[in-house]
PDB file of all heavy atoms in Angstrom:
ATOM      1  N   ILE A 108       5.123  11.971 -10.940  1.00 98.00           N
ATOM      2  CA  ILE A 108       3.762  11.440 -10.743  1.00 98.00           C
ATOM      3  C   ILE A 108       3.802   9.936 -11.001  1.00 98.00           C
ATOM      4  O   ILE A 108       4.329   9.503 -12.029  1.00 98.00           O
ATOM      5  CB  ILE A 108       2.782  12.118 -11.736  1.00 98.00           C
ATOM      6  CG1 ILE A 108       2.689  13.620 -11.445  1.00 98.00           C
ATOM      7  CG2 ILE A 108       1.400  11.463 -11.684  1.00 98.00           C
ATOM      8  CD1 ILE A 108       2.053  14.427 -12.563  1.00 98.00           C
ATOM      9  N   PRO A 118     -13.257   2.158  -2.749  1.00 97.00           N
ATOM     10  CA  PRO A 118     -14.014   1.372  -1.773  1.00 97.00           C
ATOM     11  C   PRO A 118     -14.516   2.215  -0.603  1.00 97.00           C
ATOM     12  O   PRO A 118     -15.562   1.918  -0.026  1.00 97.00           O
ATOM     13  CB  PRO A 118     -13.007   0.311  -1.304  1.00 97.00           C
ATOM     14  CG  PRO A 118     -11.664   0.820  -1.694  1.00 97.00           C
ATOM     15  CD  PRO A 118     -11.850   1.744  -2.837  1.00 97.00           C
ATOM     16  N   GLY A 121     -10.811   8.197   0.857  1.00 97.00           N
ATOM     17  CA  GLY A 121      -9.426   8.071   1.306  1.00 97.00           C
ATOM     18  C   GLY A 121      -8.728   6.820   0.795  1.00 97.00           C
ATOM     19  O   GLY A 121      -7.539   6.632   1.072  1.00 97.00           O
ATOM     20  N   GLU A 199     -30.234  13.432 -39.271  1.00 98.00           N
ATOM     21  CA  GLU A 199     -30.315  14.202 -38.015  1.00 98.00           C
ATOM     22  C   GLU A 199     -31.766  14.292 -37.542  1.00 98.00           C
ATOM     23  O   GLU A 199     -32.669  14.570 -38.321  1.00 98.00           O
ATOM     24  CB  GLU A 199     -29.709  15.605 -38.234  1.00 98.00           C
ATOM     25  CG  GLU A 199     -30.009  16.639 -37.171  1.00 98.00           C
ATOM     26  CD  GLU A 199     -29.520  16.276 -35.759  1.00 98.00           C
ATOM     27  OE1 GLU A 199     -28.393  15.802 -35.608  1.00 98.00           O
ATOM     28  OE2 GLU A 199     -30.318  16.455 -34.810  1.00 98.00           O
ATOM     29  N   VAL A 245     -29.987   1.523 -42.795  1.00 98.00           N
ATOM     30  CA  VAL A 245     -30.416   2.423 -41.717  1.00 98.00           C
ATOM     31  C   VAL A 245     -31.882   2.773 -41.968  1.00 98.00           C
ATOM     32  O   VAL A 245     -32.218   3.359 -43.006  1.00 98.00           O
ATOM     33  CB  VAL A 245     -29.558   3.708 -41.701  1.00 98.00           C
ATOM     34  CG1 VAL A 245     -30.049   4.665 -40.608  1.00 98.00           C
ATOM     35  CG2 VAL A 245     -28.088   3.373 -41.506  1.00 98.00           C
ATOM     36  N   ARG A 403     -20.171  46.072 -23.936  1.00 98.00           N
ATOM     37  CA  ARG A 403     -19.360  44.939 -23.463  1.00 98.00           C
ATOM     38  C   ARG A 403     -19.622  43.701 -24.340  1.00 98.00           C
ATOM     39  O   ARG A 403     -20.781  43.401 -24.659  1.00 98.00           O
ATOM     40  CB  ARG A 403     -19.725  44.638 -22.009  1.00 98.00           C
ATOM     41  CG  ARG A 403     -18.854  43.587 -21.384  1.00 98.00           C
ATOM     42  CD  ARG A 403     -19.242  43.365 -19.937  1.00 98.00           C
ATOM     43  NE  ARG A 403     -18.450  42.276 -19.395  1.00 98.00           N
ATOM     44  CZ  ARG A 403     -17.995  42.221 -18.163  1.00 98.00           C
ATOM     45  NH1 ARG A 403     -18.271  43.201 -17.320  1.00 98.00           N
ATOM     46  NH2 ARG A 403     -17.290  41.206 -17.748  1.00 98.00           N
ATOM     47  N   CYS A 438      -4.950  47.824 -32.987  1.00 98.00           N
ATOM     48  CA  CYS A 438      -4.364  47.678 -34.319  1.00 98.00           C
ATOM     49  C   CYS A 438      -4.186  46.188 -34.642  1.00 98.00           C
ATOM     50  O   CYS A 438      -3.642  45.431 -33.834  1.00 98.00           O
ATOM     51  CB  CYS A 438      -3.014  48.391 -34.360  1.00 98.00           C
ATOM     52  SG  CYS A 438      -2.287  48.376 -36.003  1.00 98.00           S
TER      53      CYS A 438
END
Side-chain angles (χ1 to χ4, degrees):
I108 296 165
E199 165 60 44
V245 178
R403 186 178 176 144
C438 185

